[in-house]
Amino acid sequence: KKHLARPVIGLANAVQTIPSIALLGVLLPLVGIGPVPAIIALFLYGLLPVIRNTYTGIIGVDPAVMEAARGMGLSETQQLTKVELPLATPVIFAGIRTAFVINVGVATLCALIAAGGLGEFIFRGLSTNNPRMILAGAIPAAAIALIFDALLGYFEKNIRKYLWPVIITFLVLLAFLFISRQGWTSSDRPGLSGGFPSEFIQREDGFPGLDSTYDLNLEIREMEIGLMYDAVRNGEVDVISGFSTDGRIAAFNLTVLEDDKRYFPPYHAAPLIRSETLRQYPEIEIALEQLSNLIPDTAMARLNFLVDQENRNIREVARQFLASRGLRAKEERNGSPDILIGSKNFTENYILAEMFAILIENYTSLDADTKLGFGGTKLIFDALNTGEIDMYPEYTGTGLLVILQTRSEILRKLKFEKEAVYNFVSKEFLDQYHLRWLGPFGFNNTFALMTRSSFAKENRLKTISDLAELSRE
């Protein structure tokens, strides 16, 4: 049906242009988390190469061959099944193989919405500065793509021999999955679920220690930070981890559970900068020292709220805050940047990075630019270490456990005490990486567990101990 080709292929093209993480984010409130949105996304991303190649293969059949088929008295259905499809098979299979390889890559991103898979290893490695874990996910994913591409090539050459066995096997598998699903009774369903980012799941001061302290019985679902908040708001998970200054606590009407056993240690947030940059531009340290102890907990939470809930411009929020503290905060960005400032992919880091840029431009003769939204600690730290960026806002707890991967005996000596951790990471970063920690911003950066306020009220949850008791019922 040639008149349908343009709109159908155009629609498939449009789907293909949507970034995969954005598509997963759109699907999350509609169909929840886990395998279902992942399968829908993979199906949509597989459409274009299959549709386009099928169409191209069929219309590419020699008109003289089709004329001969009609002359032999073949019906339209017979022409399609006995002439056009067999001749178009190589082109069609090229599309199927392309779709498969594309989907192996997209499938790894589905770990961000708790769909599991090899992507969990990749994102945990990126979040915890663990190259081996990254390779543990990337190498098998690449191997799967290559192996199945070869199998599809073999199947293409022997399609007449294997077509019906493959179809029958596929139908049997679907029937088995359906029957298994029907047998999944309410007593088998999981209890409370927790949506956590990769770093929190792996860190020694994250879920492992929290679980041993409180004996939580939670089903863990690994998720991207932004999608994690949507998941708890939509009831896809019961509890999430976050930071005590996060603006989405108020924006999403969440309740922070009291850490009644004082498990989560407090940490400093501070600028992390290359020593080489400071030697070349020592005036930067003077400019940024004005942030030292300038931002209390309530102020940081308010700034995050303005961006997350009221959708204010990040740079404007940062500029107005600095101006309210009597600092020069005019818009000065003009020429090519002398300094590149990075940030991780969450609101608080964005705001702090913009503050760096504003102060540098107003209190020095330098121009600064921001590179916002690095997807993990490893990525942004490697960019800093190799000189791709000059500085970014970091947290001493992340420096201690993720980047330095400090040994247990040293952690016991430090006792996760706020000032001791800051002094330790300052010395180690300078010795090992030639990086400097500048003065802390002032707010207390610590993990927190939070849940929907309605859920907390319904189950009378005030502390993490209350949550632990509920999870064991």
Side-chain angles (χ1 to χ4, degrees):
K1 307 295 181 182
K2 290 187 178 181
H3 64 283
L4 295 176
R6 187 182 296 274
V8 170
I9 294 177
L11 180 61
N13 267 325
V15 170
Q16 199 76 21
T17 62
I18 302 173
S20 50
I21 188 64
L23 181 60
L24 293 171
V26 170
L27 290 172
L28 190 148
L30 299 177
V31 293
I33 60 175
V36 173
I39 290 170
I40 293 173
L42 294 174
F43 167 74
L44 293 174
Y45 277 115
L47 285 177
L48 179 62
V50 175
I51 292 174
R52 184 182 289 279
N53 278 46
T54 301
Y55 177 74
T56 302
I58 290 176
I59 66 169
V61 174
D62 191 337
V65 174
M66 296 306 301
E67 184 66 30
R70 283 189 291 272
M72 293 172 63
L74 296 182
S75 66
E76 286 192 3
T77 302
Q78 288 174 323
Q79 291 173 42
L80 177 65
T81 57
K82 295 183 180 298
V83 180
E84 290 176 308
L85 284 177
L87 292 175
T89 293
V91 181
I92 295 172
F93 259 86
I96 293 172
R97 292 166 73 172
T98 300
F100 188 91
V101 172
I102 289 172
N103 273 3
V104 169
V106 175
T108 59
L109 293 176
C110 295
L112 297 175
I113 55 167
L118 294 169
E120 287 189 358
F121 294 99
I122 296 172
F123 289 110
R124 286 189 189 186
L126 290 173
S127 297
T128 58
N129 195 29
N130 189 335
R132 281 187 246 182
M133 190 170 286
I134 296 172
L135 293 176
I139 292 175
I144 287 172
L146 293 172
I147 290 169
F148 275 87
D149 184 63
L151 288 175
L152 286 170
Y154 177 78
F155 179 68
E156 177 189 348
K157 294 176 183 177
N158 299 273
I159 187 169
R160 292 183 181 276
K161 181 179 178 182
Y162 293 113
L163 179 60
W164 282 110
V166 167
I167 291 174
I168 293 170
T169 303
F170 179 70
L171 292 175
V172 169
L173 179 61
L174 282 180
F176 174 76
L177 291 174
F178 178 77
I179 293 169
S180 300
R181 180 75 175 179
Q182 293 297 104
W184 190 45
T185 63
S186 58
S187 61
D188 297 321
R189 293 181 185 274
L192 297 183
S193 59
F196 305 130
S198 304
E199 188 172 316
F200 183 79
I201 291 173
Q202 292 290 108
R203 278 174 58 155
E204 189 165 337
D205 62 341
F207 185 75
L210 179 72
D211 191 29
S212 352
T213 302
Y214 285 97
D215 189 22
L216 293 165
N217 183 24
L218 296 177
E219 180 194 4
I220 304 305
R221 298 180 179 179
E222 190 167 333
M223 308 186 70
E224 192 271 336
I225 293 175
L227 299 179
M228 176 181 74
Y229 280 88
D230 287 331
V232 73
R233 178 171 62 175
N234 296 329
E236 298 295 334
V237 294
D238 300 305
V239 62
I240 62 171
S241 66
F243 292 105
S244 53
T245 54
D246 203 309
R248 284 168 289 196
I249 296 171
F252 289 7
N253 192 26
L254 303 179
T255 294
V256 177
L257 300 177
E258 180 191 345
D259 181 14
D260 49 307
K261 295 186 179 179
R262 300 188 181 278
Y263 166 73
F264 290 126
Y267 294 123
H268 281 301
L272 183 61
I273 185 169
R274 290 168 56 83
S275 296
E276 182 181 333
T277 301
L278 280 182
R279 281 195 299 270
Q280 187 175 0
Y281 305 115
E283 62 269 32
I284 291 177
E285 183 172 6
I286 299 171
L288 294 185
E289 281 297 331
Q290 296 179 90
L291 285 176
S292 292
N293 298 311
L294 184 72
I295 313 174
D297 293 10
T298 52
M300 193 68 251
R302 175 63 181 168
L303 296 176
N304 288 329
F305 177 83
L306 291 175
V307 175
D308 289 328
Q309 177 66 8
E310 299 189 1
N311 298 317
R312 303 273 189 92
N313 178 272
I314 294 172
R315 187 172 176 87
E316 188 61 21
V317 166
R319 191 191 66 75
Q320 289 178 0
F321 172 79
L322 294 175
S324 72
R325 295 301 190 269
L327 298 174
R328 294 201 301 271
K330 295 180 180 178
E331 186 64 51
E332 297 286 346
R333 191 173 290 176
N334 295 313
S336 59
D338 305 294
I339 301 296
L340 287 177
I341 302 164
S343 87
K344 299 183 185 182
N345 62 337
F346 55 92
T347 303
E348 185 171 288
N349 234 236
Y350 294 154
I351 295 170
L352 295 172
E354 290 291 2
M355 287 185 184
F356 293 178
I358 292 168
L359 288 176
I360 289 171
E361 290 172 342
N362 279 271
Y363 285 89
T364 73
S365 59
L366 304 171
D367 283 317
D369 197 7
T370 53
K371 300 291 182 183
L372 305 180
F374 281 80
T377 297
K378 177 174 173 53
L379 295 178
I380 194 169
F381 182 74
D382 285 348
L384 180 69
N385 214 19
T386 57
E388 297 297 324
I389 58 173
D390 295 290
M391 68 182 75
Y392 75 95
E394 188 53 282
Y395 305 91
T396 54
T398 301
L400 178 73
L401 295 164
V402 177
I403 298 174
L404 293 176
Q405 298 183 358
T406 308
R407 299 191 308 274
S408 299
E409 55 269 25
I410 296 177
L411 295 177
R412 285 193 292 271
K413 290 179 182 177
L414 292 173
K415 298 179 180 177
F416 291 110
E417 196 277 323
K418 194 174 182 180
E419 297 302 326
V421 169
Y422 177 81
N423 293 333
F424 177 80
V425 297
S426 295
K427 180 180 182 305
E428 292 299 317
F429 270 67
L430 190 59
D431 293 345
Q432 294 187 37
Y433 303 110
H434 306 291
L435 300 174
R436 286 271 309 278
W437 289 80
L438 302 184
F441 304 121
F443 62 87
N444 175 38
N445 174 256
T446 187
F447 282 122
L449 286 191
M450 52 197 75
T451 184
R452 297 180 304 282
S453 293
S454 58
F455 183 80
K457 184 177 180 181
E458 178 186 344
N459 293 282
R460 300 179 181 178
L461 299 179
K462 293 183 179 180
T463 67
I464 300 179
S465 291
D466 293 339
L467 177 70
E469 185 177 343
L470 179 65
S471 72
R472 294 191 294 270
E473 289 180 357

